[in-house]
Structure formats: C-alpha cells, structure tokens
Amino acid sequence: MPNLPLTLAVITRNEAACIARCLDSVPFAAEKLVVDSGSDDDTVAVARAHGARVVQQDWLGFGPQRNFATTQCAHDWILVLDADEWLSPELAAELERELPALMAGDAAGALLRRRTIYMGRPLRWYRPSVGEKLARLYHRGRARWTDARVHESLRLDGRAPVFKAPFDHANNPTLVHKQLKVLRYSELKCRDWLDQRKPARMWQAPFVYLLAFLKDYVFRLACLDGWRGFLIAQTAASYALYKRMRYYEMVNNPASVAEAADALEKHRIEH
C-alpha cells in the first residue's frame, strides 16, 4: 500500500496492550506519531517497533495535548485515533482510495463513523455507538482542537465529507476500566468548571441523573441492546451525577483538588 502524505497521531499513556493494533491499522500513513505522557509500561517500545516516532510531553489535558501533537506532525493532513481505536479494513481501503482527491482540494477535514465494541462485541442499537460521526481527519491549517481538559472537539473551518466504513473502538475492556475513567474524566471536567467559575447547583443532581439515564436508555435506544444497554445508560447517568458531586466538593473544600490529584497519581489512574 503506497504511503500518503498524512500523519497518524495518537496520544498515549500506558497503552502497550493496544497501541500496536492502532498503528498497524493505518498502513498508508507516511508518518505515525505517538505523543506519550509518561508511560511506565512498554508503550514506547511497542510504538517504535510498529513504526511510530515517539515524542514525550507531560499531560496537558486532552484538547491541549492534541493541539501539541498537531504541532509535532510532519504533514499538514492528520488522522487522529485513540490507542484503543483502529481502522477497519474497509475504512482503510476507502481512505486509501479517496484521500488523494480529498487532500488535493479545499476541505478542512472529514468525518469518520465510529463503531463501539462493548463487553466483547459491537453494540447494535445504541445510537452513539452505531455510526457515530466524529471529526478525526483534518488539515491543520483549517482546524483546531478546543482547549477543554476533557470532552474536547475538533473545530473545522470548512467543508468535511463523511466516509462510509467505520473505525472501531474497544470501549472500556471492563467495568473497572470504566470506573477509573470516570474518576479521571470527572476530575478534568470539574477543573474546567472551576476555571469558568460555574455555580455548584447540587439541587440539580437527582434530575441530572434521571434525565441522563432516560436520554441514553430510551431516546438513544440503549434499551434495545439488552442488559449491556442498561449498563451503558446507568454508567453514563452515574458519571453525570458524580461530576456534580465532585464539583460541589471542590467548591466547598478547595484543598481536595490537590489531594485528589495526588491520589490519582499515586494509583496511576490513566488518561
């Protein structure tokens, strides 16, 4: 497969178990870049063995880390994947076929459809996990990641066609991984709220939980995926509730910000 003037950019920390699959799924990229934030497993060695150039950068938050990665790429066109994501063979073939024309035009980027693997197999009905459209391919002169510490998004300045075939995402190998991610993501989101001086409104908490559960279980069709769908909706609602409880604690006990950061670092709860 010929190389295209494109960089695959992946941000990592302790992703030795899955980084090879991610990198190997993009054989047409002229450059593979891994921006690592202090892995103490074999992530760096595995990434280099699978053709990646590795740059070390202390963790900045998801948006700033992705913007830093953008500056390190050798090519203007960039494909972003997380370490637990990979291109399906169908999408790899579609990109190889369509990218030359896209990159020669004035498009800002493209949207890719993501298919989620949950508890060992794809979800069939839950809407965010079946063909969810994400901006993951872009020209760095026509796009920029938001500076949010978590739940960042790519802002495209121009048209962005949609590719048909999906890429895959191994969503939280276990519920333990999910709960650890909830702790990390909640901490980052609450730090953003602190910066914005958002009021802590705990009276909203019960309604936030109920509405978040109904949104995912009913309106996003998680109910049709059986008990796996119930677990998806419950963990999403619990995350929405926990963020507000944790933010209330931060506002009322500012010392807890540093104490929690120390605890997360001590137990190496990953990004």
Side-chain angles (χ1 to χ4, degrees), residues 18 25 75 96 114 128 200 214 218 231 257 265:
C18 56
S25 74
H75 301 282
E96 183 196 7
R114 183 167 70 176
L214 289 175
V218 178
L231 292 173
V257 176
E265 181 62 26

Side-chain angles (χ1 to χ4, degrees), residues 3 5 13 17 19 30 32 36 43 60 68 89-90 125 135 156 165 170 180 193 207 217 243 249-250 255 259 265:
N3 285 342
R13 183 182 179 186
I19 188 62
K32 298 178 183 181
D36 187 74
T43 297
L60 302 171
F68 171 81
E90 295 80 11
W125 295 98
L156 297 168
L180 295 178
W193 287 346
F207 304 103
Y217 194 65
K243 280 187 296 187
E249 180 182 33
M250 284 185 175
E259 292 169 350
E265 181 62 26

Side-chain angles (χ1 to χ4, degrees), residues 29-48:
E31 179 188 44
K32 298 178 183 181
L33 172 71
V34 166
V35 175
D36 187 74
S37 55
S39 292
D40 56 14
D41 65 0
D42 292 331
T43 297
V44 171
V46 173
R48 287 176 175 154

Side-chain angles (χ1 to χ4, degrees), residues 159-182:
R159 66 182 184 90
V162 182
F163 284 89
K164 295 179 181 179
F167 69 100
D168 289 313
H169 175 215
N171 186 333
N172 302 306
T174 70
L175 288 175
V176 173
H177 289 80
K178 175 62 177 178
Q179 295 308 310
L180 295 178
K181 183 178 286 188
V182 163

Side-chain angles (χ1 to χ4, degrees), residues 1 21-22 24-28 81 85-96 112-115 164-169:
M1 185 175 291
R21 177 180 58 191
C22 173
D24 291 348
S25 74
V26 192
F28 53 80
L81 293 175
E85 297 172 341
W86 65 98
L87 299 188
S88 66
E90 295 80 11
L91 180 56
E94 185 181 2
L95 289 173
E96 183 196 7
L112 306 181
R113 302 175 189 271
R114 183 167 70 176
R115 174 174 58 196
K164 295 179 181 179
F167 69 100
D168 289 313
H169 175 215

Side-chain angles (χ1 to χ4, degrees), residues 182-237:
V182 163
L183 292 177
R184 171 66 68 181
Y185 280 25
S186 296
E187 208 67 16
L188 295 171
K189 189 62 178 179
C190 290
R191 293 289 296 274
D192 280 345
W193 287 346
L194 277 178
D195 291 347
Q196 299 162 9
R197 300 180 182 275
K198 180 178 178 176
R201 300 188 177 104
M202 272 301 292
W203 63 268
Q204 296 178 342
F207 304 103
V208 165
Y209 179 91
L210 179 61
L211 291 173
F213 182 86
L214 289 175
K215 179 179 72 173
D216 276 359
Y217 194 65
V218 178
F219 298 108
R220 290 180 167 178
L221 303 184
C223 58
L224 298 180
D225 273 308
W227 285 113
R228 291 189 303 151
F230 175 84
L231 292 173
I232 284 278
Q234 194 281 329
T235 51

